[in-house]
PDB file of all heavy atoms in Angstrom:
ATOM      1  N   GLY A  11      -7.374 -16.640 -16.482  1.00 62.00           N
ATOM      2  CA  GLY A  11      -7.854 -17.614 -15.514  1.00 62.00           C
ATOM      3  C   GLY A  11      -6.766 -18.349 -14.755  1.00 62.00           C
ATOM      4  O   GLY A  11      -7.071 -19.174 -13.904  1.00 62.00           O
ATOM      5  N   VAL A  39       5.470  -4.007  -6.529  1.00 97.00           N
ATOM      6  CA  VAL A  39       5.171  -2.925  -5.591  1.00 97.00           C
ATOM      7  C   VAL A  39       6.198  -2.953  -4.462  1.00 97.00           C
ATOM      8  O   VAL A  39       6.463  -4.006  -3.875  1.00 97.00           O
ATOM      9  CB  VAL A  39       3.746  -3.056  -5.005  1.00 97.00           C
ATOM     10  CG1 VAL A  39       3.465  -1.949  -4.014  1.00 97.00           C
ATOM     11  CG2 VAL A  39       2.715  -3.046  -6.115  1.00 97.00           C
ATOM     12  N   VAL A  56      -2.891  14.398  20.155  1.00 89.00           N
ATOM     13  CA  VAL A  56      -2.600  14.112  21.549  1.00 89.00           C
ATOM     14  C   VAL A  56      -2.969  12.693  21.969  1.00 89.00           C
ATOM     15  O   VAL A  56      -2.425  12.170  22.938  1.00 89.00           O
ATOM     16  CB  VAL A  56      -3.283  15.125  22.501  1.00 89.00           C
ATOM     17  CG1 VAL A  56      -2.704  16.508  22.294  1.00 89.00           C
ATOM     18  CG2 VAL A  56      -4.782  15.119  22.336  1.00 89.00           C
ATOM     19  N   VAL A  63       0.282   8.435   4.231  1.00 95.00           N
ATOM     20  CA  VAL A  63       0.563   7.494   3.153  1.00 95.00           C
ATOM     21  C   VAL A  63       0.879   8.271   1.885  1.00 95.00           C
ATOM     22  O   VAL A  63       0.123   9.162   1.486  1.00 95.00           O
ATOM     23  CB  VAL A  63      -0.635   6.539   2.901  1.00 95.00           C
ATOM     24  CG1 VAL A  63      -0.354   5.637   1.709  1.00 95.00           C
ATOM     25  CG2 VAL A  63      -0.922   5.710   4.143  1.00 95.00           C
ATOM     26  N   HIS A  68       4.334   4.156 -11.206  1.00 74.00           N
ATOM     27  CA  HIS A  68       5.451   4.210 -12.143  1.00 74.00           C
ATOM     28  C   HIS A  68       5.205   5.140 -13.325  1.00 74.00           C
ATOM     29  O   HIS A  68       6.079   5.859 -13.745  1.00 74.00           O
ATOM     30  CB  HIS A  68       5.782   2.808 -12.652  1.00 74.00           C
ATOM     31  CG  HIS A  68       4.770   2.275 -13.631  1.00 74.00           C
ATOM     32  ND1 HIS A  68       3.505   1.889 -13.250  1.00 74.00           N
ATOM     33  CD2 HIS A  68       4.822   2.122 -14.971  1.00 74.00           C
ATOM     34  CE1 HIS A  68       2.831   1.495 -14.323  1.00 74.00           C
ATOM     35  NE2 HIS A  68       3.597   1.620 -15.373  1.00 74.00           N
ATOM     36  N   SER A  71       5.904   8.815 -12.482  1.00 40.00           N
ATOM     37  CA  SER A  71       7.216   9.219 -12.006  1.00 40.00           C
ATOM     38  C   SER A  71       8.327   8.901 -13.000  1.00 40.00           C
ATOM     39  O   SER A  71       9.440   9.366 -12.844  1.00 40.00           O
ATOM     40  CB  SER A  71       7.525   8.534 -10.671  1.00 40.00           C
ATOM     41  OG  SER A  71       7.543   7.137 -10.844  1.00 40.00           O
ATOM     42  N   ALA A  76      15.130  13.418 -11.189  1.00 44.00           N
ATOM     43  CA  ALA A  76      15.293  12.984  -9.797  1.00 44.00           C
ATOM     44  C   ALA A  76      15.166  14.148  -8.823  1.00 44.00           C
ATOM     45  O   ALA A  76      14.812  13.951  -7.668  1.00 44.00           O
ATOM     46  CB  ALA A  76      16.642  12.298  -9.624  1.00 44.00           C
ATOM     47  N   SER A  82       0.831  14.983  -6.783  1.00 55.00           N
ATOM     48  CA  SER A  82       0.240  13.662  -6.974  1.00 55.00           C
ATOM     49  C   SER A  82      -0.850  13.731  -8.027  1.00 55.00           C
ATOM     50  O   SER A  82      -1.569  14.722  -8.136  1.00 55.00           O
ATOM     51  CB  SER A  82      -0.378  13.156  -5.671  1.00 55.00           C
ATOM     52  OG  SER A  82       0.606  12.925  -4.716  1.00 55.00           O
ATOM     53  N   ALA A  90      -3.836   6.730  -2.023  1.00 92.00           N
ATOM     54  CA  ALA A  90      -3.203   7.039  -0.734  1.00 92.00           C
ATOM     55  C   ALA A  90      -4.256   7.190   0.359  1.00 92.00           C
ATOM     56  O   ALA A  90      -4.098   6.670   1.468  1.00 92.00           O
ATOM     57  CB  ALA A  90      -2.359   8.309  -0.851  1.00 92.00           C
ATOM     58  N   SER A 119       5.973  -1.456 -11.326  1.00 95.00           N
ATOM     59  CA  SER A 119       5.340  -1.839 -12.589  1.00 95.00           C
ATOM     60  C   SER A 119       3.955  -2.395 -12.282  1.00 95.00           C
ATOM     61  O   SER A 119       3.752  -3.045 -11.267  1.00 95.00           O
ATOM     62  CB  SER A 119       6.186  -2.860 -13.363  1.00 95.00           C
ATOM     63  OG  SER A 119       6.313  -4.056 -12.635  1.00 95.00           O
ATOM     64  N   PHE A 133       1.052  -4.138   4.560  1.00 96.00           N
ATOM     65  CA  PHE A 133       0.935  -4.842   5.837  1.00 96.00           C
ATOM     66  C   PHE A 133       2.175  -5.665   6.155  1.00 96.00           C
ATOM     67  O   PHE A 133       2.574  -5.773   7.311  1.00 96.00           O
ATOM     68  CB  PHE A 133      -0.362  -5.649   5.904  1.00 96.00           C
ATOM     69  CG  PHE A 133      -1.514  -4.774   6.276  1.00 96.00           C
ATOM     70  CD1 PHE A 133      -2.262  -4.133   5.307  1.00 96.00           C
ATOM     71  CD2 PHE A 133      -1.806  -4.518   7.605  1.00 96.00           C
ATOM     72  CE1 PHE A 133      -3.293  -3.278   5.639  1.00 96.00           C
ATOM     73  CE2 PHE A 133      -2.828  -3.662   7.969  1.00 96.00           C
ATOM     74  CZ  PHE A 133      -3.583  -3.034   6.978  1.00 96.00           C
ATOM     75  N   LEU A 136       4.578  -3.092   7.509  1.00 97.00           N
ATOM     76  CA  LEU A 136       4.216  -2.719   8.883  1.00 97.00           C
ATOM     77  C   LEU A 136       4.668  -3.789   9.875  1.00 97.00           C
ATOM     78  O   LEU A 136       5.185  -3.472  10.953  1.00 97.00           O
ATOM     79  CB  LEU A 136       2.703  -2.495   8.994  1.00 97.00           C
ATOM     80  CG  LEU A 136       2.162  -1.218   8.359  1.00 97.00           C
ATOM     81  CD1 LEU A 136       0.650  -1.285   8.204  1.00 97.00           C
ATOM     82  CD2 LEU A 136       2.573   0.009   9.172  1.00 97.00           C
ATOM     83  N   SER A 145      -5.197  -6.103  13.714  1.00 90.00           N
ATOM     84  CA  SER A 145      -5.553  -7.084  12.697  1.00 90.00           C
ATOM     85  C   SER A 145      -4.647  -6.882  11.491  1.00 90.00           C
ATOM     86  O   SER A 145      -4.045  -5.830  11.327  1.00 90.00           O
ATOM     87  CB  SER A 145      -7.022  -6.936  12.279  1.00 90.00           C
ATOM     88  OG  SER A 145      -7.242  -5.674  11.695  1.00 90.00           O
ATOM     89  N   ILE A 175     -12.540  -5.209  -8.942  1.00 94.00           N
ATOM     90  CA  ILE A 175     -12.848  -5.216  -7.514  1.00 94.00           C
ATOM     91  C   ILE A 175     -11.635  -5.681  -6.731  1.00 94.00           C
ATOM     92  O   ILE A 175     -11.054  -6.726  -7.030  1.00 94.00           O
ATOM     93  CB  ILE A 175     -14.043  -6.150  -7.219  1.00 94.00           C
ATOM     94  CG1 ILE A 175     -15.233  -5.759  -8.079  1.00 94.00           C
ATOM     95  CG2 ILE A 175     -14.382  -6.144  -5.739  1.00 94.00           C
ATOM     96  CD1 ILE A 175     -16.311  -6.820  -8.170  1.00 94.00           C
ATOM     97  N   GLU A 180      -9.788  -9.521   6.566  1.00 90.00           N
ATOM     98  CA  GLU A 180      -9.200  -9.171   7.853  1.00 90.00           C
ATOM     99  C   GLU A 180      -8.918 -10.438   8.669  1.00 90.00           C
ATOM    100  O   GLU A 180      -9.771 -11.301   8.810  1.00 90.00           O
ATOM    101  CB  GLU A 180     -10.151  -8.255   8.620  1.00 90.00           C
ATOM    102  CG  GLU A 180      -9.617  -7.768   9.929  1.00 90.00           C
ATOM    103  CD  GLU A 180     -10.593  -6.815  10.612  1.00 90.00           C
ATOM    104  OE1 GLU A 180     -11.819  -7.000  10.453  1.00 90.00           O
ATOM    105  OE2 GLU A 180     -10.116  -5.927  11.301  1.00 90.00           O
ATOM    106  N   LYS A 183      -6.002 -11.021  15.516  1.00 61.00           N
ATOM    107  CA  LYS A 183      -5.159 -11.802  16.425  1.00 61.00           C
ATOM    108  C   LYS A 183      -6.025 -12.561  17.407  1.00 61.00           C
ATOM    109  O   LYS A 183      -7.049 -12.081  17.844  1.00 61.00           O
ATOM    110  CB  LYS A 183      -4.217 -10.876  17.205  1.00 61.00           C
ATOM    111  CG  LYS A 183      -3.157 -10.245  16.368  1.00 61.00           C
ATOM    112  CD  LYS A 183      -2.267  -9.412  17.262  1.00 61.00           C
ATOM    113  CE  LYS A 183      -1.133  -8.803  16.493  1.00 61.00           C
ATOM    114  NZ  LYS A 183      -0.249  -8.044  17.359  1.00 61.00           N
TER     115      LYS A 183
END
Side-chain angles (χ1 to χ4, degrees):
V39 179
V56 295
V63 176
H68 73 289
S71 62
S82 294
S119 63
F133 279 90
L136 287 165
S145 63
I175 305 164
E180 183 178 33
K183 291 182 177 182

